[in-house]
Amino acid sequence: MEASLAYKTKQIIKKYEFSFKKNFGQNFLVDERVLDKIVSAADINENDLVIEVGPGIGTLTQAMAKKAGKVISVEIDKTLVPILGELLEDYNNIEIINEDILKVDINEIIENHKGMNVKMAANLPYNITTPIIMGILEKHIPMDSLTVMIQKEVAYRMNAKPSTKDYGSLSLVTQYYCEPYLVANVPQNCFMPRPNVDSAVIKLSILKEPRIKVKNEKFMFDFIKAGFSQRRKTLVNCIFNSGLVTLNKEELGKVLNELGYDERVRGESLTLEDYGKISDKMLEFIHS
């Protein structure tokens, strides 16, 4: 009988006398079924360049390399690099970059692999999940999808619908750029060491064009953020209190009325399309 992934991981850690580093958010996945779900959801084939962040001891890396044209794994921990070099030596389509992903020029990597479809698949360090994902989306990095293990709470927020407790600015920004799909919930016992929170695998299929067209992307995002700044207050109060625009409450209410919205509407009940429409109208009003 083949040894379990948890047992193999323990043996590798022991052999190389590896110590987990909290500041790097290291939690190695030791559940074979979850591993299979990530690889399956990522839908990897030989035409794909897969970018992985935080490969750990290369368990997911190996599984992806069996299907991908090329896997580039970015690992910040220099003590893991020789371990990965030895464990992955049988694969000629894996490249390890010993660097902080937030400092890596992903566009340059993509440029060096022209003709390949680019995907990210990873068990992301939870302390830098949002900067990684938002950095890719907001910089319009040409990537097909991100299939990532992240904190369950964050995954639910990305996938949330209006008027639910998880719905917020992160939901709207994510859904502006992507089609999110929750692949699986992952309990704490699937990792070594066990994290303090539950996790989830989410697939973000990046849209060829943002979901809606707006006059000013940055203004809409600022408007969305202001709209959720005080969840129990009306949109008018939130926008007025944020100082984002110089309109008074009466003028803000008038803008909403002109578009057919009640001036007592709350930001948490509005869709992305609503926010796009209202923010465009606000800009018109301001510049008129």
Side-chain angles (χ1 to χ4, degrees):
M1 187 178 166
E2 194 181 348
S4 72
L5 187 51
Y7 177 78
K8 287 179 190 171
T9 303
K10 278 180 188 171
Q11 293 302 106
I12 290 165
I13 289 164
K14 188 177 175 185
K15 177 184 173 183
Y16 292 98
E17 298 179 342
F18 175 75
S19 299
F20 290 96
K21 299 170 189 67
K22 273 190 178 178
N23 58 318
F24 292 153
Q26 290 172 333
N27 300 96
F28 296 168
L29 179 63
V30 291
D31 189 299
E32 208 95 49
R33 292 164 303 176
V34 179
L35 195 71
D36 291 342
K37 282 178 183 176
I38 295 172
V39 176
S40 174
D43 193 23
I44 299 163
N45 63 54
E46 66 276 7
N47 298 317
D48 292 335
L49 164 66
V50 182
I51 297 172
E52 182 187 22
V53 181
I57 53 170
T59 312
L60 177 60
T61 321
Q62 289 180 64
M64 295 192 296
K66 289 171 185 172
K67 293 176 176 281
K70 178 82 179 272
V71 179
I72 294 181
S73 295
V74 182
E75 176 54 64
I76 193 171
D77 187 352
K78 63 175 188 267
T79 65
L80 276 171
V81 175
I83 300 173
L84 286 164
E86 190 175 323
L87 294 172
L88 304 174
E89 64 183 356
D90 293 338
Y91 296 86
N92 60 9
N93 63 338
I94 297 174
E95 180 185 340
I96 307 296
I97 298 175
N98 182 204
E99 187 58 87
D100 178 350
I101 186 62
L102 298 176
K103 294 175 183 173
V104 169
D105 186 343
I106 298 176
N107 276 319
E108 188 182 335
I109 291 174
I110 294 170
E111 187 65 26
N112 292 336
H113 295 82
K114 278 182 178 171
M116 299 186 83
N117 301 320
V118 185
K119 296 172 179 175
M120 177 174 279
N123 172 20
L124 289 182
Y126 296 165
N127 53 342
I128 53 169
T129 292
T130 306
I132 292 171
I133 294 174
M134 287 304 133
I136 289 165
L137 299 179
E138 289 171 357
K139 289 172 188 168
H140 302 279
I141 290 173
M143 207 175 271
D144 289 357
S145 62
L146 297 90
T147 306
V148 288
M149 173 98 68
I150 60 177
Q151 194 172 326
K152 181 179 171 182
E153 179 191 332
V154 177
Y156 274 50
R157 281 164 54 204
M158 288 180 168
N159 196 47
K161 302 298 178 225
S163 301
T164 61
K165 69 178 178 67
D166 293 315
Y167 190 62
S169 56
L170 183 61
S171 321
L172 288 162
V173 176
T174 306
Q175 292 166 35
Y176 175 74
Y177 293 112
C178 305
E179 186 65 55
Y181 169 67
L182 273 172
V183 176
N185 288 322
V186 184
Q188 297 165 26
N189 60 5
C190 293
F191 298 90
M192 183 183 301
R194 287 172 64 131
N196 296 323
V197 294
D198 286 328
S199 308
V201 178
I202 191 168
K203 181 172 185 176
L204 304 172
S205 298
I206 300 176
L207 302 168
K208 294 203 184 310
E209 295 288 336
R211 196 175 295 275
I212 60 169
K213 285 188 176 178
V214 289
K215 292 174 180 173
N216 186 319
E217 203 176 88
K218 185 185 182 305
F219 180 77
M220 183 187 72
F221 290 154
D222 288 343
F223 192 83
I224 286 169
K225 193 175 175 185
F228 284 93
S229 57
Q230 296 168 291
R231 286 186 80 95
R232 297 191 180 187
K233 291 190 180 291
T234 64
L235 181 67
V236 165
N237 277 319
C238 287
I239 301 301
F240 178 76
N241 293 339
S242 73
L244 179 65
V245 295
T246 54
L247 308 182
N248 61 37
K249 289 184 184 181
E250 192 180 332
E251 289 168 325
L252 289 167
K254 188 181 172 187
V255 173
L256 289 175
N257 290 156
E258 280 182 20
L259 290 171
Y261 297 97
D262 190 310
E263 66 269 17
R264 293 166 298 178
V265 71
R266 290 184 181 181
E268 62 194 31
S269 68
L270 297 171
T271 65
L272 177 62
E273 289 75 10
D274 292 329
Y275 270 105
K277 222 189 291 184
I278 297 167
S279 65
D280 276 358
K281 191 72 177 173
M282 286 286 174
L283 277 178
E284 263 180 46
F285 201 92
I286 292 163
H287 296 138
S288 62

